[in-house]
Amino acid sequence: MKSEPPRETWCRMARRLARRMNVGFWLADFLPLFFAAGLVQAFLLIWLRKNQLPTSPAWWVFAALLLAAGSVAWFRKRKRFFSQQDALVFLETRLGLNNGLTAADTGVAGWPKPVALPARIVPRWSWKRIGPWPAWTLAIMAVAAWLPVDPVTSSPSARPVEPIAWSGIESRIETLEETDILEPASLEDFRQRVEELRRRAPRDWYSHSSLEATDSLEERTERAIRDLRDNLETTARALAEAEAFPEGLPWGREAALREELREALAGFEEGLLQLDPEFLAQLSELDPQSLPSMSQEELDALRECLADGLAACEASLGDGEDVLLARVPGTGGIGEGPAPAPLSFRADPATGEVSRLESVSNDDLSRAALGDRIGVGETDDDDEKRAPYRGPARAGTIATPGDGGEAVPRETFTPDEQAVLERYFR
Amino acid sequence: MSSATSTRPTPDETAEAAEKLDLLRQTLNRVLFGQDPLIENVIIGLLSRGHLLLEGLPGLGKTELVKGLARALQLDAKRIQFTPDLLPADVTGSPILKETPEGRRFVFHRGPIFANLVLADEINRASPKTQSALLEAMQEGRVTVMGETHTLLRPFFVLATQNPIELEGTYPLPEAQLDRFLFKLDIYRNEIPVLEEIIKHREIGEEPEVEAVFDRETLVRFATLTRRVYLPDVVANFIARLVDATHPGRSRTAETIKFGASPRAALALATGAKARALIQGRGHASFEDIRNLAAPVLGHRILLDYRAKLDGKTGATIVAELLQEIPAQDKALPSTLKPTEVHG
């Protein structure tokens, strides 16, 4: 086997040494960045797991960060990298070759005879400096990958609760839609108004103007339904009365019924809730005189439509009552409450008095959600057991008549006078 | 670049130089026992065309060294004993009125400085004016008397001595003049075995026999060869960093240095390193050459402040600290690798 020329041997050793040095320099800068990248990846991984999202982006980000860290480390340390010549100088310094390798590399002198590098001159890895970085990084990443985390559930309170009146209005409209006697376009008008309010920014839902508009729309809806119900009742009553007298209405009553029907018809036409045009035309032809000429089927159909409409109106208004009951007293529109003020000290459910006090608070605001219940307390609302206090009815009088002689010392005398009197009567 | 520096010495040239210079060293060793480092530095000074300042007690063989050197190299040697009343003309020479066939005229009478080797004994005892005359001649290589310039012999080599004791009535050389000496060498007392050798081989008043090793022309050729010795860039960088580190604020060691070494010191170090490489038969200088010559080159060129003096430090100890602080290679190991041993 042909022996390698000294130049090749020395250069090979120098290149190997330079590689080790350069990797060492690169690692010195890369490892802290590697740790930082691992930290970022760990936080990202936990966040993704907490939000129940795919974790692959965390690994992609980690790979990209590693690439960037490697590039940064190389860029920062490239000026300190060892060239082959530097490695030759390193070797000749350690081996005591009097710069013979440098001179030989320049061509000034011949290459020294290659020697086996003693272990003491070959730089060895300092694992005490290298090891902790990847160890900590991998530990953190492992914790991030396997640590049990509570997934964040989408809390309804994340989005502000919309004003309850909106759902009340929509509920009424939906109930009215079940009947066929109403023009769908008129119902859609109410629904669109609610949608307009809902389209506002959630932070404005409880603004003054929004709440005023809500109140106004709610009253308008209720009034329209009540008007419709009244008109339908009037019509149904007139129809029933006319049917009760198949031979003809008493004198004077016919004109009154006609007038009532005319007013109801006007109400139907001018009302916010428009009747189906066909049904409205049918109603407009109603006349106490012409009723006997209608067939029984026609009358039954008409009666059924009216009853259906009335039932829908009643049901719709009933929905409204639910909404009303759901309101907390005193928390209505701006500056005015739709219900009696609280704290009336009466066990009357109609007042909506709160008997269960609930408080909501959360020290960790980052995890707070509106509506979180953290405790429930009980209060005694049975105030009737206690005698109510009544103050003086008029100036200069005593508040209570007292029990015999006790009234005097209790109400008028000073403590000293009371003591004197007590001693006397004793 | 001159041809002298562009052509590197061949292995044969360096081998021949090393052989003959080693012979010279052996010869001088027979004149001056037990002073190997001193003799090597003297030869380096010769090859570097520099002048040496020797500091040591009387009777250690300084004059013998010069005489032996002159005989070994077949050079003309003179000795000047510096005293307070010595005048510049006593060193350089002076014109004297002389009767000639053409009539009376001034003829320049050469002083003792007109020699290849000059031993300026106890240079610090002469007045600054006389010191200055010698040092100017050392620097310029010529003397000018009454408007007439006289070139000194080639090679011209001054070995000045100064006594570290009995400093009363002396004129210490100022730093600017110290800088003109290539090396300042300390001559230490002889050890017992060396003294024994001296006792056995010497008699008072009897000069040792010294054979001629090579002639003046060969010395000049070797001096020229020294200039052609290769100085690697890394070694030049080491010299530059070392000299720079002697300046206050440039290194930790330099905190106690008042004034650092001049560029002339760097040149002296480079030339000395080349000469040492030639003596050792190398065609290139090395870090080891710099480490060996740093103390004699830099030691007398740095001015220490009071703290260093209070701590008992000298130029030589400061240079030793600098050599510990400044690494030869200007490349640090990465922190991820364990440090390794440096040879020497």
Side-chain angles (χ1 to χ4, degrees), chain B residues 189-269:
Chain B
R189 66 175 179 81
N190 300 115
E191 299 294 331
I192 293 173
V194 176
L195 278 175
E196 199 178 330
E197 285 291 308
I198 293 171
I199 293 164
K200 283 195 286 188
H201 295 93
R202 290 286 165 77
E203 293 291 339
I204 287 181
E206 192 176 312
E207 290 185 357
E209 288 183 7
V210 177
E211 295 170 0
V213 178
F214 52 83
D215 58 10
R216 179 186 314 173
E217 285 68 32
T218 307
L219 177 64
V220 172
R221 187 160 58 85
F222 287 164
T224 307
L225 192 63
T226 298
R227 297 177 65 187
R228 289 163 51 197
V229 168
Y230 174 59
L231 184 75
D233 291 346
V234 285
V235 179
N237 175 264
F238 181 39
I239 294 171
R241 285 185 292 112
L242 195 60
V243 171
D244 179 68
T246 62
H247 290 269
R250 303 297 295 170
S251 66
R252 187 168 33 81
T253 306
E255 283 178 4
T256 54
I257 295 177
K258 207 169 174 182
F259 296 106
S262 64
R264 189 185 284 162
L267 290 174
L269 205 47

Side-chain angles (χ1 to χ4, degrees), chain B residues 152-170:
Chain B
L152 300 180
L153 300 182
R154 286 285 182 269
F156 176 61
F157 184 62
V158 174
L159 255 160
T161 70
Q162 61 180 13
N163 200 331
I165 58 171
E166 295 175 356
L167 294 176
E168 199 169 340
T170 61

Side-chain angles (χ1 to χ4, degrees), chain A residues 24 81 86 99 124 126 129, chain B residues 287 329 331-332 335-336 338:
Chain A
F81 282 172
D86 294 329
N99 294 88
R124 304 209 167 273
S126 173
R129 288 180 176 271
Chain B
F287 293 139
Q329 190 178 15
K331 283 269 185 182
S335 58
T336 48
K338 291 178 183 171

Side-chain angles (χ1 to χ4, degrees), chain A residues 360-370 372:
Chain A
V360 176
S361 67
N362 199 330
D363 293 334
D364 183 5
L365 294 178
S366 63
R367 298 168 62 88
L370 283 175
D372 281 354

Side-chain angles (χ1 to χ4, degrees), chain A residues 20-21 24-25 27-28 79-82 86 89-90 93-96 98-100 102-103 106 108-109 120-126 129-130, chain B residues 8-9 11 230 232-235 276 280 282-289 291 328-329 331-343:
Chain A
R20 176 174 285 221
M21 296 285 194
F25 277 121
L27 275 178
K79 287 183 179 172
R80 302 183 70 177
F81 282 172
F82 268 57
D86 294 329
V89 173
F90 182 89
T93 309
R94 264 66 181 176
L95 291 170
N98 277 315
N99 294 88
T102 303
T106 321
V108 172
R120 62 183 166 76
I121 72 156
V122 179
R124 304 209 167 273
W125 296 110
S126 173
R129 288 180 176 271
I130 297 173
Chain B
R8 302 296 169 209
Y230 174 59
D233 291 346
V234 285
V235 179
R276 185 172 183 273
Q280 296 192 348
R282 281 183 279 118
H284 60 274
S286 71
F287 293 139
E288 283 75 11
D289 298 327
R291 287 202 190 92
Q329 190 178 15
K331 283 269 185 182
L333 277 181
S335 58
T336 48
L337 291 173
K338 291 178 183 171
T340 57
E341 288 178 25
V342 179
H343 184 268

